[in-house]
Every structure is written in C-alpha cells, then in structure tokens.
Amino acid sequence: MANHEEVVEGNWGIEPVPPRLRVLSGLETGLLWGNLGVSLLVIVAGAILVPALSLPSALVAIVIGCLIGNAMLAIAGMIGADARVPGMALMRAPLGQRGSFLPTGINVVQGIGWTTFELLVIATAASALSDELFGFEAKWLWTLVFGAVALALALLGPIGFVRRFIRRFAIWAVPLALLYLTWWALDGADLSAVWNADGEGGLSVWQGADVVVGITVSWIPYAADYTRFSTTRRGAFAGTGIGYLIPDTWLLALGAVLVLSRDLGDPAALPAAVVAGGFAAIVALFALLVTETDEAFANSYSAAISLQNAMPRAPQALLVVAVVAIATAGALVLDFTSYQSFLLLLGSVFVPLFAVLLADWLAHGFRYEPADVGRAERLRLGPIAAWVAGFAAYQWLSPTGPAWWVEQVQRLDPPTWSIGATLPSFAVSFVLALALAAATGRLTAPPARA
C-alpha cells in the first residue's frame, strides 16, 4: 500500500518534496535519463553534423559536446535534489520570484514545442509501421493515439512513470532498439570509405559541439523536475549525468553514421527506411516507439509543472491536459522544420541560464536549501542581466533562430571565428553572476565536511 501511495503522491506540485517521496535511487534516476536519451530526434541531431564534418571530426564534436552538456545536466540534477523543487521554481533562487517567470515562459514554449516534435516523430514511425503491416498510414490517428498515451504517462508523475512504465516495458525496449539500429546502420556499409570521407566544410568541430550541447542543455530546465524525487544528491548527479550520457553519445554517433552509410538525414524518412528491413526491423521500430513516448511524457509533464510556477493554484492534471492538447493539435497541422536552428536557439537561452544558476548555487556555499527558494527576493535584476549578456554573447558568436532574427544580428557584423558559442556564453554569464554575488556580499562559504 505504501508503494501505491508513493506513486500517486509522486505527482507532486511545486512545494519541496517531502522525505517520504524522495524514493528514486541513483539506478532508477539513471534508468529514467537513459530512456529519455533514446530518441529519433537525437539521431537527427547527429545527422546534422555530416557531411559538413568528416566522421572522425563529427565524433570529436559529439564527445566534446556530450561531456560539456551532460556535465551541466548532471550538476543541474544535483542542485534540484538539494532544493527539492522543480526546475522553474528553482530559478526563483538566482532570479527572484517574479524573475523566474521569464525562463518559465520560455520553458513552457520549449516543452510544448518538444512534445509536438516528439508526437510528429512517433506518428511518422507508427504510420510507416502500420502501412507495412496493414496497408494504411493514418498518421492523424497515430498522432491522437500517442497523444493520449503521453497524457496518461504525464498524469502518472515521475515516480509512477519510472516504476510502472520504465521498469516494466522500456527497460527491455531500449537495448533492443539501440542494438538493432546500430547493426542496421553498419550492415553492408563500406566502413573504410565512411571513415575516410572528407568533410564538405561549413561547420567547425566547435560549432558541431554547439549542436550537440544544444540537444542536451534543453533538458537542464527539466532536470530538477525529476531529481527532486531522488534519495540523494550524489545519486541524482550520477544517475542524471551517466544515464543520459550513454544513449546521447551512442545515438548522435549513429545519426552521423546513418547519413554516410545510408544517406539518411531526413527525420521523416528514417522510420520508413527502418521498417523496410523486415520483421526484425518492425520489432525494433515498435520498441523505439515505446522508448520515444518517454520524451513526449517528459516534455508535457515539465511544461505543466513549469506553468505551476506561475500559477501555483492551478490543478496539475488540468495543466497537463492543456499542454498535451495543444501539442497534439500542433502535431496534426505542423511538419518538421529547421531542427538545427531550433537546437542552437535553445542552447543560446539555456547555457547562460544554467551559468547563472550555477554561480548563485556556488555563492550559496555549494548547496541550496528549500528556504533559498521559498524566501527568494521578488526580483533580482543583476543575475537576469548576466543571463541576458550570455545570451547576447551566444547570438553574436553564432546567430541563430528565425530568419528575421538572424538578419538583425548579422547587421552587427558578428565575427567568423568558428570557435563555437557554448563556452564563451557560459563564461560571460557565470563570471558576471559570480562577480555580482561577490560585490553584493552574497558569497557563502561551503559547509564543512563532517
């Protein structure tokens, strides 16, 4: 009975999670993030890197980007385990209660956008599967079906999701899908030619790493939504960082290989190509559909819990239904758009935001307490300015976003250094935020070791 109560109450609001609900072990946290890392969209991100880069250079960009991005994600998870509140409520500490509404709005848009993308991917794969098996596609029907599945999972909450879905279904589906897709990508390929092919240019290794970081740091605002239920900060750090790192690196590399070995860089073409491989391919694609639903759950749940930061009295279930309904409607009328620009735009927002969070956390003595969030100031303009400065630095070094925005930034004559924008923008926001903390006397010594 206690287990059932934990699952039900795991659909918690924005108040600090009580000790009785801090039940996710490091292994369970790792299983959660490992499943979230398995996605066709991650494969697509890897496909963006080639043929602009050679395969060896693309792999270097993937390793660099994954190490940087997953280190940020792991620390964000640990900070969430400290404060025991969701990600956007956590942003009250560095930005103030009202200041946290700005990233909240961006994060809600991100959550709905990613949910829409995921439902598009899932419906595309399911329609290819049903066309092969039953002779009809009915993409609209699969969009509605998996929208309903995402809704059901989001209503479970993180604890119920891990213990009712991942441990029962996804834990076998993930290895199956990964192993088959890897074999399928390499089968019959001229590996020597793929490895030795020259890059066509137009992208540096550091710019490629920015793409990789972009897909990882988009999870940073969500990290605390799940690690607030972790038993320990160490388990949250290791489970988040290692859990996401393994599939992240694997699928990004697989995406680059697929472009070179099978000329597959279009996300819409991948499911149909996989399902054409016979019965084993059909089983693998079905397994991938199971794992893909994880992302739709996470994005819709986190968008809803983010909305609660601005509307704490709104019922979480109602917000979840609203988010999934909007995303499902979007998936019915939209198609794949410029994925690379979307990733880089997210990176330009969330890399400096994390830098400000990290600086403030360090200034608090390497630990947040729930009171640091609950009694936060109304508005902290200094950290907000540091965040905006980092965003501006990112965009100046790597203009990205809608065409009209890029045109305006390019009028400022940005440099063509090809050094990437992730680390410089992080450094700008981090240094400014830490300097402001020192100037205002907010630095606190870290707690002494017992």
Side-chain angles (χ1 to χ4, degrees), residues 36-95:
L36 293 180
V38 178
S39 171
L40 284 170
L41 289 179
V42 181
I43 296 177
V44 174
I48 290 170
L49 303 177
V50 293
L53 294 173
S54 67
L55 183 58
S57 296
L59 294 178
V60 171
I62 289 169
V63 170
I64 292 173
C66 283
L67 290 175
I68 293 172
N70 281 278
M72 293 180 180
L73 183 63
I75 295 171
M78 182 173 64
I79 295 174
D82 273 350
R84 309 202 306 273
V85 296
M88 290 303 100
L90 183 61
M91 295 310 303
R92 296 180 181 187
L95 304 183

Side-chain angles (χ1 to χ4, degrees), residues 56-401:
S57 296
L59 294 178
V60 171
I62 289 169
V63 170
I64 292 173
C66 283
L67 290 175
I68 293 172
N70 281 278
M72 293 180 180
L73 183 63
I75 295 171
M78 182 173 64
I79 295 174
D82 273 350
R84 309 202 306 273
V85 296
M88 290 303 100
L90 183 61
M91 295 310 303
R92 296 180 181 187
L95 304 183
Q97 296 186 33
R98 292 297 178 89
S100 71
F101 292 169
L102 180 56
T104 293
I106 297 172
N107 202 43
V108 170
V109 172
Q110 167 183 241
I112 295 174
W114 277 118
T115 305
T116 301
F117 264 110
E118 292 295 344
L119 291 178
L120 277 168
V121 170
I122 295 169
T124 300
S127 63
L129 191 59
S130 64
D131 186 42
E132 178 72 18
L133 294 176
F134 310 116
F136 69 90
E137 292 188 356
K139 185 176 177 180
W140 65 270
L141 176 62
W142 294 116
T143 302
L144 293 175
V145 167
F146 283 99
V149 172
L151 174 62
L153 293 176
L155 291 173
L156 278 178
I159 299 175
F161 176 72
V162 170
R163 295 186 170 178
R164 291 185 176 185
F165 181 77
I166 291 181
R167 289 174 59 169
R168 294 183 184 180
F169 302 105
I171 197 169
W172 61 264
V174 168
L176 174 63
L178 285 180
L179 290 173
Y180 179 82
L181 282 176
T182 303
W183 173 84
W184 180 75
L186 298 176
D187 182 45
D190 186 344
L191 298 181
S192 177
V194 167
W195 182 262
N196 293 306
D198 293 330
E200 296 179 359
L203 192 71
S204 72
V205 168
W206 282 106
Q207 289 170 326
D210 278 349
V211 175
V212 174
V213 172
I215 196 170
T216 306
V217 300
S218 64
W219 289 106
I220 284 178
Y222 298 171
D225 298 350
Y226 308 101
T227 59
R228 59 189 172 133
F229 297 103
S230 296
T231 53
T232 65
R233 70 201 306 251
R234 181 179 297 178
F237 177 84
T240 303
I242 299 174
Y244 195 83
L245 174 66
I246 295 172
D248 193 26
T249 308
W250 190 338
L251 288 183
L252 286 164
L254 182 60
V257 170
L258 279 170
V259 171
L260 299 174
S261 67
R262 292 184 175 266
D263 195 26
L264 279 175
D266 181 4
L270 183 58
V274 172
V275 81
F279 179 74
I282 291 173
V283 174
L285 187 61
F286 174 76
L288 194 60
L289 286 178
V290 173
T291 63
E292 197 76 35
T293 313
D294 297 0
E295 285 76 20
F297 145 76
N299 287 292
S300 55
Y301 172 80
S302 287
I305 202 71
S306 295
L307 274 172
Q308 277 197 297
N309 182 51
M311 299 182 291
R313 295 183 180 179
Q316 187 180 118
L318 179 62
L319 296 177
V320 169
V321 171
V323 167
V324 175
I326 294 171
T328 303
L332 288 170
V333 300
L334 298 177
D335 205 341
F336 291 104
T337 56
S338 180
Y339 190 60
Q340 183 179 17
S341 294
F342 186 45
L343 286 179
L344 292 175
L345 183 59
L346 290 175
S348 69
V349 171
F350 292 118
V351 165
L353 179 63
F354 170 71
V356 170
L357 174 66
L358 179 61
D360 191 73
W361 178 74
L362 294 175
H364 275 77
F366 299 82
R367 183 178 290 273
Y368 275 146
E369 299 295 338
D372 295 321
V373 175
R375 295 200 295 266
E377 299 172 31
R378 190 178 183 85
L379 186 66
R380 297 188 63 200
L381 293 177
I384 293 175
W387 174 29
V388 172
F391 171 77
Y394 195 113
Q395 288 289 330
W396 186 62
L397 290 170
S398 180
T400 186

Side-chain angles (χ1 to χ4, degrees), residues 385-434:
W387 174 29
V388 172
F391 171 77
Y394 195 113
Q395 288 289 330
W396 186 62
L397 290 170
S398 180
T400 186
W404 64 267
W405 170 263
V406 173
E407 289 175 4
Q408 296 302 315
V409 176
Q410 287 177 339
R411 290 184 178 181
L412 301 176
D413 193 26
T416 55
W417 296 337
S418 299
I419 61 172
T422 296
L423 294 179
S425 67
F426 177 90
V428 167
S429 290
F430 181 79
V431 171
L432 283 176
L434 205 57

